[in-house]
Amino acid sequence: MRTPQSRTARENPPSQSALEERMPVQAKLAAAWTSFMFLYIYVDYLHLYKPGAIRDILDGVVFKFDINQAFVVIALTSVAIPILMILLSTTLPARANRTLNLVVASLYIPVSAFNVLGGSWILFYGLGVVIEVILLAYILRSAWTWPRTSSLDEGQ
């Protein structure tokens, strides 16, 4: 037996916007930080293919820095922060989450830009920095435009 369609369904067929689904800002931020980390790690990994890079590492130098405990701690910290941002973007309360994402993404723009220094392989490092900055800009925009609920919505 076929049930008749309601009058409203016949008059207002589903539109294209019916497919739209809202993804929580926290999920967008975590996805952006995950993408950032993949890029961050792969730029470092692919750097090993640069002629002389492994020789320099074996000689105890990265860029112009001696490889020592302080260097390794700083390097670990520089990757640990965005790694933690993946988790924190999904678990912190909205206000703290928004603030932390704005601060950390803002600080990582110059950190990413630092990779262009050195002069050689400018296309490789430049492309990496451009994509990293685009991801960081997306994080900044997503955190800055985080939707607010009105006090009327909270009372319902």
Side-chain angles (χ1 to χ4, degrees), residues 27-91:
K28 290 179 183 180
L29 291 168
W33 281 112
T34 302
S35 298
F36 177 84
M37 277 311 304
F38 272 111
L39 186 62
Y40 200 72
I41 294 299
Y42 272 103
V43 167
D44 282 351
Y45 174 76
L46 292 172
H47 162 79
L48 297 175
Y49 289 93
K50 182 180 174 184
I54 293 176
R55 181 182 55 244
D56 289 346
I57 292 169
L58 292 174
D59 289 341
V61 177
V62 171
F63 185 52
K64 301 200 184 276
F65 302 107
D66 290 333
I67 300 173
N68 55 32
Q69 184 165 302
F71 172 81
V72 176
V73 167
I74 291 167
L76 179 60
T77 302
S78 77
V79 296
I81 292 170
I83 288 169
L84 290 172
M85 289 306 295
I86 298 167
L87 174 67
L88 295 174
S89 292
T90 60
T91 57

Side-chain angles (χ1 to χ4, degrees), residues 22 95 127 140 151:
R22 298 280 180 191
R95 186 175 300 266
L127 178 61
L140 288 170
S151 58

Side-chain angles (χ1 to χ4, degrees), residues 5 66 106 109:
Q5 287 183 318
D66 290 333
S106 296
I109 290 173

Side-chain angles (χ1 to χ4, degrees), residues 9 14 17 19 23 27 31 44 75 120 127 130 132:
S17 64
L19 295 177
M23 179 180 283
D44 282 351
S120 65
L127 178 61
V130 165
E132 286 177 9

